Amino acid sequence: MGALFSGGTSVRRLIRTAFLEARKRLSSYVSQIVLAVIGAALAWAIAGGLVQDHSPFFAPIAALIALNAAGSERGVNAVRMLTGVFIGILAGEAALLLTDRGLLALTVGTGLAMIVAAAITSERAVVGQAAASAILTTIFVGDGSPGIDRLVDALIGAGVALLLSQLFFPARLVAMMRRIEEEALGEMARMLDEVGLSLTSDGDDASAQVVNRLGDLSRPMADLSKAREASMTTIRLSTIRWGDPGPVLDEDEVIERLILLGESCLFLARTTVAMDSEERRELAPIVRGMADVLGTLADDLSSRETREQAVNQALTAARGYGAGTPDDDPVTHATHLAVEMVATDIMVFAGIRFDEVEDILLGELEDPTIPAPAQEPWLPWLRWRPRLPDIRVGRFRGRG
């Protein structure tokens, strides 16, 4: 009976976990779904009113496909989609002229569209859209709509998508980047917490647990790098370049600091593997304390109070371990250095200037200045401030 009850508890826990994950995924997609549905309906209404005597199915399809992308990629997605639609329609119309229609037309049109698209670009989205457009063109040949009407529909759909994604609902890049930062911080916190727990165990199993856990940071680190690349692409290609790109560029620097923080966490975790059992038990609360700091930051990066709390926690953890002595063996010295590096990178990530960090660690500066996180305007193109993106990138590459 007890086993049955225990099994029921496990099932309920799995169901609850699955439900929470589904709700999290839905909450992240709901705004995208709403925008795509609005775009499809608007494109259908506009195309139906402008182009008479046909069913404007290409317009809502074009709008839906273009808007079904991450906020930073909607504009680029619209251009890719329009390129594929244009190629597919032309290929489909050419197939209808050269064949007796039917299956042969579909085969020729689809193959021709994919060949032309692949020759022009390596983007699979363009190739796939070209093939889909060619298929629709050859299948719906009996609706009385010439190819020019279908192309107009595609232009209307892409235009609606660009209007919604670039002018009225532009990408909230800073918010998107901070969500990725919070996920990375959460993964770093979990990694350090598990490392701290393993430090209280003896034997080679503890070292194996640490080594196996280190690889889990590869995905969030890769996501951070992709976020930086996407932000720069969006500034070049979207309406953000018309306004003030400053908040996005500032957040790009923050991601660079976070990548350095991740490297420091990995260095700290690696040094624990070579320590003896007594030193591990001494270091365990320090490592778990740093994990708590990262968890605090992950809760709300948009709050200055949260960043101040994290800095205070990092200082408490670092000072609790001490600065080490010249007589320490190399492993112990490296561990003290690793703890100091993590604390330093946490403070720099929180917004403290690098030249103030040493004074703070030594206790010579008791009240460091932590600036408020940058705020992002809803419509960046309404705040035009010319700024050169390339003069800010890489300012924090060094550690001093």
Side-chain angles (χ1 to χ4, degrees), residues 304-331:
R304 178 161 60 181
E305 290 74 17
T306 297
R307 298 184 181 219
E308 290 175 346
Q309 180 183 354
V311 168
N312 291 330
Q313 288 178 322
L315 283 173
T316 300
R319 290 170 178 171
Y321 192 56
T325 65
D327 297 331
D328 289 335
D329 63 84
V331 174

PDB file of all heavy atoms in Angstrom, residues 304-331:
ATOM      1  N   ARG A 304      17.300  47.225  -9.442  1.00  0.00           N
ATOM      2  CA  ARG A 304      18.568  47.647  -8.842  1.00  0.00           C
ATOM      3  C   ARG A 304      18.712  47.089  -7.429  1.00  0.00           C
ATOM      4  O   ARG A 304      19.815  46.737  -7.010  1.00  0.00           O
ATOM      5  CB  ARG A 304      18.666  49.174  -8.803  1.00  0.00           C
ATOM      6  CG  ARG A 304      19.944  49.660  -8.130  1.00  0.00           C
ATOM      7  CD  ARG A 304      20.286  51.087  -8.468  1.00  0.00           C
ATOM      8  NE  ARG A 304      19.264  52.020  -8.066  1.00  0.00           N
ATOM      9  CZ  ARG A 304      19.325  53.337  -8.275  1.00  0.00           C
ATOM     10  NH1 ARG A 304      20.386  53.836  -8.897  1.00  0.00           N
ATOM     11  NH2 ARG A 304      18.369  54.135  -7.891  1.00  0.00           N
ATOM     12  N   GLU A 305      17.595  46.977  -6.699  1.00  0.00           N
ATOM     13  CA  GLU A 305      17.645  46.428  -5.351  1.00  0.00           C
ATOM     14  C   GLU A 305      18.150  44.984  -5.368  1.00  0.00           C
ATOM     15  O   GLU A 305      18.927  44.569  -4.503  1.00  0.00           O
ATOM     16  CB  GLU A 305      16.265  46.498  -4.694  1.00  0.00           C
ATOM     17  CG  GLU A 305      15.793  47.901  -4.334  1.00  0.00           C
ATOM     18  CD  GLU A 305      15.367  48.703  -5.551  1.00  0.00           C
ATOM     19  OE1 GLU A 305      15.125  48.072  -6.616  1.00  0.00           O
ATOM     20  OE2 GLU A 305      15.277  49.949  -5.449  1.00  0.00           O
ATOM     21  N   THR A 306      17.712  44.218  -6.367  1.00  0.00           N
ATOM     22  CA  THR A 306      18.177  42.839  -6.488  1.00  0.00           C
ATOM     23  C   THR A 306      19.674  42.791  -6.735  1.00  0.00           C
ATOM     24  O   THR A 306      20.394  41.959  -6.158  1.00  0.00           O
ATOM     25  CB  THR A 306      17.433  42.130  -7.638  1.00  0.00           C
ATOM     26  OG1 THR A 306      16.041  42.086  -7.327  1.00  0.00           O
ATOM     27  CG2 THR A 306      17.945  40.723  -7.834  1.00  0.00           C
ATOM     28  N   ARG A 307      20.174  43.674  -7.575  1.00  0.00           N
ATOM     29  CA  ARG A 307      21.608  43.700  -7.873  1.00  0.00           C
ATOM     30  C   ARG A 307      22.410  44.114  -6.632  1.00  0.00           C
ATOM     31  O   ARG A 307      23.503  43.574  -6.375  1.00  0.00           O
ATOM     32  CB  ARG A 307      21.881  44.640  -9.044  1.00  0.00           C
ATOM     33  CG  ARG A 307      21.185  44.190 -10.325  1.00  0.00           C
ATOM     34  CD  ARG A 307      21.531  45.068 -11.502  1.00  0.00           C
ATOM     35  NE  ARG A 307      20.825  44.609 -12.711  1.00  0.00           N
ATOM     36  CZ  ARG A 307      21.334  44.585 -13.920  1.00  0.00           C
ATOM     37  NH1 ARG A 307      22.574  45.002 -14.118  1.00  0.00           N
ATOM     38  NH2 ARG A 307      20.627  44.162 -14.950  1.00  0.00           N
ATOM     39  N   GLU A 308      21.890  45.074  -5.868  1.00  0.00           N
ATOM     40  CA  GLU A 308      22.578  45.481  -4.646  1.00  0.00           C
ATOM     41  C   GLU A 308      22.631  44.334  -3.644  1.00  0.00           C
ATOM     42  O   GLU A 308      23.660  44.101  -2.991  1.00  0.00           O
ATOM     43  CB  GLU A 308      21.855  46.690  -4.038  1.00  0.00           C
ATOM     44  CG  GLU A 308      22.013  47.974  -4.845  1.00  0.00           C
ATOM     45  CD  GLU A 308      21.187  49.111  -4.278  1.00  0.00           C
ATOM     46  OE1 GLU A 308      20.301  48.821  -3.424  1.00  0.00           O
ATOM     47  OE2 GLU A 308      21.407  50.267  -4.668  1.00  0.00           O
ATOM     48  N   GLN A 309      21.521  43.599  -3.520  1.00  0.00           N
ATOM     49  CA  GLN A 309      21.495  42.449  -2.623  1.00  0.00           C
ATOM     50  C   GLN A 309      22.505  41.396  -3.058  1.00  0.00           C
ATOM     51  O   GLN A 309      23.207  40.808  -2.226  1.00  0.00           O
ATOM     52  CB  GLN A 309      20.084  41.860  -2.592  1.00  0.00           C
ATOM     53  CG  GLN A 309      19.943  40.643  -1.680  1.00  0.00           C
ATOM     54  CD  GLN A 309      18.552  40.039  -1.731  1.00  0.00           C
ATOM     55  OE1 GLN A 309      17.642  40.591  -2.358  1.00  0.00           O
ATOM     56  NE2 GLN A 309      18.376  38.894  -1.085  1.00  0.00           N
ATOM     57  N   ALA A 310      22.603  41.154  -4.365  1.00  0.00           N
ATOM     58  CA  ALA A 310      23.549  40.155  -4.873  1.00  0.00           C
ATOM     59  C   ALA A 310      24.985  40.574  -4.596  1.00  0.00           C
ATOM     60  O   ALA A 310      25.829  39.731  -4.233  1.00  0.00           O
ATOM     61  CB  ALA A 310      23.333  39.960  -6.373  1.00  0.00           C
ATOM     62  N   VAL A 311      25.297  41.851  -4.763  1.00  0.00           N
ATOM     63  CA  VAL A 311      26.657  42.330  -4.487  1.00  0.00           C
ATOM     64  C   VAL A 311      27.010  42.134  -3.017  1.00  0.00           C
ATOM     65  O   VAL A 311      28.115  41.677  -2.679  1.00  0.00           O
ATOM     66  CB  VAL A 311      26.785  43.816  -4.898  1.00  0.00           C
ATOM     67  CG1 VAL A 311      28.078  44.412  -4.347  1.00  0.00           C
ATOM     68  CG2 VAL A 311      26.755  43.957  -6.414  1.00  0.00           C
ATOM     69  N   ASN A 312      26.086  42.462  -2.136  1.00  0.00           N
ATOM     70  CA  ASN A 312      26.344  42.283  -0.703  1.00  0.00           C
ATOM     71  C   ASN A 312      26.558  40.806  -0.362  1.00  0.00           C
ATOM     72  O   ASN A 312      27.440  40.461   0.435  1.00  0.00           O
ATOM     73  CB  ASN A 312      25.182  42.851   0.108  1.00  0.00           C
ATOM     74  CG  ASN A 312      25.102  44.372   0.029  1.00  0.00           C
ATOM     75  OD1 ASN A 312      26.122  45.043  -0.134  1.00  0.00           O
ATOM     76  ND2 ASN A 312      23.905  44.919   0.132  1.00  0.00           N
ATOM     77  N   GLN A 313      25.762  39.924  -0.953  1.00  0.00           N
ATOM     78  CA  GLN A 313      25.932  38.495  -0.708  1.00  0.00           C
ATOM     79  C   GLN A 313      27.269  37.989  -1.234  1.00  0.00           C
ATOM     80  O   GLN A 313      27.943  37.170  -0.589  1.00  0.00           O
ATOM     81  CB  GLN A 313      24.794  37.714  -1.364  1.00  0.00           C
ATOM     82  CG  GLN A 313      23.447  37.877  -0.670  1.00  0.00           C
ATOM     83  CD  GLN A 313      22.345  37.118  -1.398  1.00  0.00           C
ATOM     84  OE1 GLN A 313      22.309  37.058  -2.631  1.00  0.00           O
ATOM     85  NE2 GLN A 313      21.444  36.534  -0.640  1.00  0.00           N
ATOM     86  N   ALA A 314      27.663  38.471  -2.414  1.00  0.00           N
ATOM     87  CA  ALA A 314      28.943  38.044  -2.991  1.00  0.00           C
ATOM     88  C   ALA A 314      30.107  38.501  -2.116  1.00  0.00           C
ATOM     89  O   ALA A 314      31.082  37.749  -1.900  1.00  0.00           O
ATOM     90  CB  ALA A 314      29.089  38.605  -4.409  1.00  0.00           C
ATOM     91  N   LEU A 315      30.027  39.722  -1.598  1.00  0.00           N
ATOM     92  CA  LEU A 315      31.084  40.220  -0.722  1.00  0.00           C
ATOM     93  C   LEU A 315      31.172  39.395   0.563  1.00  0.00           C
ATOM     94  O   LEU A 315      32.267  39.066   1.045  1.00  0.00           O
ATOM     95  CB  LEU A 315      30.824  41.691  -0.377  1.00  0.00           C
ATOM     96  CG  LEU A 315      31.170  42.696  -1.473  1.00  0.00           C
ATOM     97  CD1 LEU A 315      30.697  44.087  -1.070  1.00  0.00           C
ATOM     98  CD2 LEU A 315      32.667  42.709  -1.733  1.00  0.00           C
ATOM     99  N   THR A 316      30.010  39.054   1.122  1.00  0.00           N
ATOM    100  CA  THR A 316      29.993  38.249   2.346  1.00  0.00           C
ATOM    101  C   THR A 316      30.647  36.892   2.118  1.00  0.00           C
ATOM    102  O   THR A 316      31.449  36.406   2.939  1.00  0.00           O
ATOM    103  CB  THR A 316      28.555  38.071   2.838  1.00  0.00           C
ATOM    104  OG1 THR A 316      27.980  39.357   3.101  1.00  0.00           O
ATOM    105  CG2 THR A 316      28.516  37.230   4.097  1.00  0.00           C
ATOM    106  N   ALA A 317      30.301  36.253   0.978  1.00  0.00           N
ATOM    107  CA  ALA A 317      30.872  34.941   0.670  1.00  0.00           C
ATOM    108  C   ALA A 317      32.369  35.029   0.426  1.00  0.00           C
ATOM    109  O   ALA A 317      33.147  34.203   0.923  1.00  0.00           O
ATOM    110  CB  ALA A 317      30.161  34.344  -0.541  1.00  0.00           C
ATOM    111  N   ALA A 318      32.820  36.023  -0.343  1.00  0.00           N
ATOM    112  CA  ALA A 318      34.244  36.142  -0.674  1.00  0.00           C
ATOM    113  C   ALA A 318      35.071  36.462   0.566  1.00  0.00           C
ATOM    114  O   ALA A 318      36.146  35.887   0.785  1.00  0.00           O
ATOM    115  CB  ALA A 318      34.438  37.212  -1.742  1.00  0.00           C
ATOM    116  N   ARG A 319      34.585  37.398   1.384  1.00  0.00           N
ATOM    117  CA  ARG A 319      35.334  37.758   2.586  1.00  0.00           C
ATOM    118  C   ARG A 319      35.330  36.617   3.596  1.00  0.00           C
ATOM    119  O   ARG A 319      36.265  36.476   4.394  1.00  0.00           O
ATOM    120  CB  ARG A 319      34.731  39.019   3.193  1.00  0.00           C
ATOM    121  CG  ARG A 319      34.985  40.277   2.355  1.00  0.00           C
ATOM    122  CD  ARG A 319      34.183  41.451   2.859  1.00  0.00           C
ATOM    123  NE  ARG A 319      34.469  42.672   2.084  1.00  0.00           N
ATOM    124  CZ  ARG A 319      33.778  43.797   2.193  1.00  0.00           C
ATOM    125  NH1 ARG A 319      32.728  43.863   3.017  1.00  0.00           N
ATOM    126  NH2 ARG A 319      34.100  44.849   1.461  1.00  0.00           N
ATOM    127  N   GLY A 320      34.287  35.789   3.585  1.00  0.00           N
ATOM    128  CA  GLY A 320      34.233  34.657   4.494  1.00  0.00           C
ATOM    129  C   GLY A 320      35.288  33.625   4.198  1.00  0.00           C
ATOM    130  O   GLY A 320      35.716  32.892   5.101  1.00  0.00           O
ATOM    131  N   TYR A 321      35.739  33.557   2.963  1.00  0.00           N
ATOM    132  CA  TYR A 321      36.771  32.589   2.598  1.00  0.00           C
ATOM    133  C   TYR A 321      38.166  33.174   2.752  1.00  0.00           C
ATOM    134  O   TYR A 321      39.155  32.441   2.821  1.00  0.00           O
ATOM    135  CB  TYR A 321      36.550  32.120   1.166  1.00  0.00           C
ATOM    136  CG  TYR A 321      37.381  30.917   0.784  1.00  0.00           C
ATOM    137  CD1 TYR A 321      37.315  29.739   1.514  1.00  0.00           C
ATOM    138  CD2 TYR A 321      38.228  30.963  -0.314  1.00  0.00           C
ATOM    139  CE1 TYR A 321      38.067  28.632   1.170  1.00  0.00           C
ATOM    140  CE2 TYR A 321      38.988  29.855  -0.683  1.00  0.00           C
ATOM    141  CZ  TYR A 321      38.906  28.696   0.067  1.00  0.00           C
ATOM    142  OH  TYR A 321      39.652  27.605  -0.280  1.00  0.00           O
ATOM    143  N   GLY A 322      38.271  34.486   2.782  1.00  0.00           N
ATOM    144  CA  GLY A 322      39.577  35.112   2.954  1.00  0.00           C
ATOM    145  C   GLY A 322      40.336  35.261   1.649  1.00  0.00           C
ATOM    146  O   GLY A 322      39.937  34.760   0.607  1.00  0.00           O
ATOM    147  N   ALA A 323      41.458  35.955   1.738  1.00  0.00           N
ATOM    148  CA  ALA A 323      42.256  36.250   0.544  1.00  0.00           C
ATOM    149  C   ALA A 323      43.410  35.273   0.344  1.00  0.00           C
ATOM    150  O   ALA A 323      44.130  35.360  -0.638  1.00  0.00           O
ATOM    151  CB  ALA A 323      42.808  37.669   0.625  1.00  0.00           C
ATOM    152  N   GLY A 324      43.622  34.344   1.263  1.00  0.00           N
ATOM    153  CA  GLY A 324      44.741  33.416   1.118  1.00  0.00           C
ATOM    154  C   GLY A 324      46.042  34.033   1.590  1.00  0.00           C
ATOM    155  O   GLY A 324      46.137  35.222   1.882  1.00  0.00           O
ATOM    156  N   THR A 325      47.074  33.203   1.654  1.00  0.00           N
ATOM    157  CA  THR A 325      48.394  33.661   2.098  1.00  0.00           C
ATOM    158  C   THR A 325      49.452  33.195   1.102  1.00  0.00           C
ATOM    159  O   THR A 325      49.237  32.239   0.342  1.00  0.00           O
ATOM    160  CB  THR A 325      48.726  33.090   3.495  1.00  0.00           C
ATOM    161  OG1 THR A 325      48.831  31.663   3.399  1.00  0.00           O
ATOM    162  CG2 THR A 325      47.632  33.455   4.501  1.00  0.00           C
ATOM    163  N   PRO A 326      50.631  33.830   1.120  1.00  0.00           N
ATOM    164  CA  PRO A 326      51.702  33.409   0.199  1.00  0.00           C
ATOM    165  C   PRO A 326      52.171  31.978   0.439  1.00  0.00           C
ATOM    166  O   PRO A 326      52.782  31.369  -0.448  1.00  0.00           O
ATOM    167  CB  PRO A 326      52.815  34.417   0.489  1.00  0.00           C
ATOM    168  CG  PRO A 326      52.128  35.608   1.079  1.00  0.00           C
ATOM    169  CD  PRO A 326      50.978  35.046   1.863  1.00  0.00           C
ATOM    170  N   ASP A 327      51.932  31.439   1.637  1.00  0.00           N
ATOM    171  CA  ASP A 327      52.394  30.088   1.957  1.00  0.00           C
ATOM    172  C   ASP A 327      51.442  29.004   1.483  1.00  0.00           C
ATOM    173  O   ASP A 327      51.736  27.807   1.651  1.00  0.00           O
ATOM    174  CB  ASP A 327      52.585  29.953   3.471  1.00  0.00           C
ATOM    175  CG  ASP A 327      53.663  30.897   3.997  1.00  0.00           C
ATOM    176  OD1 ASP A 327      54.589  31.214   3.216  1.00  0.00           O
ATOM    177  OD2 ASP A 327      53.557  31.319   5.159  1.00  0.00           O
ATOM    178  N   ASP A 328      50.314  29.373   0.910  1.00  0.00           N
ATOM    179  CA  ASP A 328      49.341  28.377   0.447  1.00  0.00           C
ATOM    180  C   ASP A 328      49.919  27.557  -0.702  1.00  0.00           C
ATOM    181  O   ASP A 328      50.742  28.048  -1.503  1.00  0.00           O
ATOM    182  CB  ASP A 328      48.061  29.058  -0.032  1.00  0.00           C
ATOM    183  CG  ASP A 328      47.262  29.639   1.127  1.00  0.00           C
ATOM    184  OD1 ASP A 328      47.407  29.142   2.247  1.00  0.00           O
ATOM    185  OD2 ASP A 328      46.496  30.596   0.881  1.00  0.00           O
ATOM    186  N   ASP A 329      49.506  26.292  -0.770  1.00  0.00           N
ATOM    187  CA  ASP A 329      49.917  25.475  -1.907  1.00  0.00           C
ATOM    188  C   ASP A 329      49.210  25.970  -3.164  1.00  0.00           C
ATOM    189  O   ASP A 329      48.227  26.724  -3.092  1.00  0.00           O
ATOM    190  CB  ASP A 329      49.586  24.006  -1.648  1.00  0.00           C
ATOM    191  CG  ASP A 329      48.091  23.785  -1.495  1.00  0.00           C
ATOM    192  OD1 ASP A 329      47.401  23.641  -2.523  1.00  0.00           O
ATOM    193  OD2 ASP A 329      47.602  23.778  -0.347  1.00  0.00           O
ATOM    194  N   PRO A 330      49.684  25.580  -4.362  1.00  0.00           N
ATOM    195  CA  PRO A 330      49.117  26.110  -5.606  1.00  0.00           C
ATOM    196  C   PRO A 330      47.606  25.895  -5.745  1.00  0.00           C
ATOM    197  O   PRO A 330      46.899  26.778  -6.241  1.00  0.00           O
ATOM    198  CB  PRO A 330      49.892  25.351  -6.690  1.00  0.00           C
ATOM    199  CG  PRO A 330      51.193  25.005  -6.039  1.00  0.00           C
ATOM    200  CD  PRO A 330      50.868  24.739  -4.602  1.00  0.00           C
ATOM    201  N   VAL A 331      47.114  24.727  -5.313  1.00  0.00           N
ATOM    202  CA  VAL A 331      45.678  24.457  -5.452  1.00  0.00           C
ATOM    203  C   VAL A 331      44.872  25.397  -4.561  1.00  0.00           C
ATOM    204  O   VAL A 331      43.866  25.984  -5.000  1.00  0.00           O
ATOM    205  CB  VAL A 331      45.370  22.987  -5.110  1.00  0.00           C
ATOM    206  CG1 VAL A 331      43.862  22.743  -5.103  1.00  0.00           C
ATOM    207  CG2 VAL A 331      46.047  22.061  -6.113  1.00  0.00           C
TER     208      VAL A 331
END
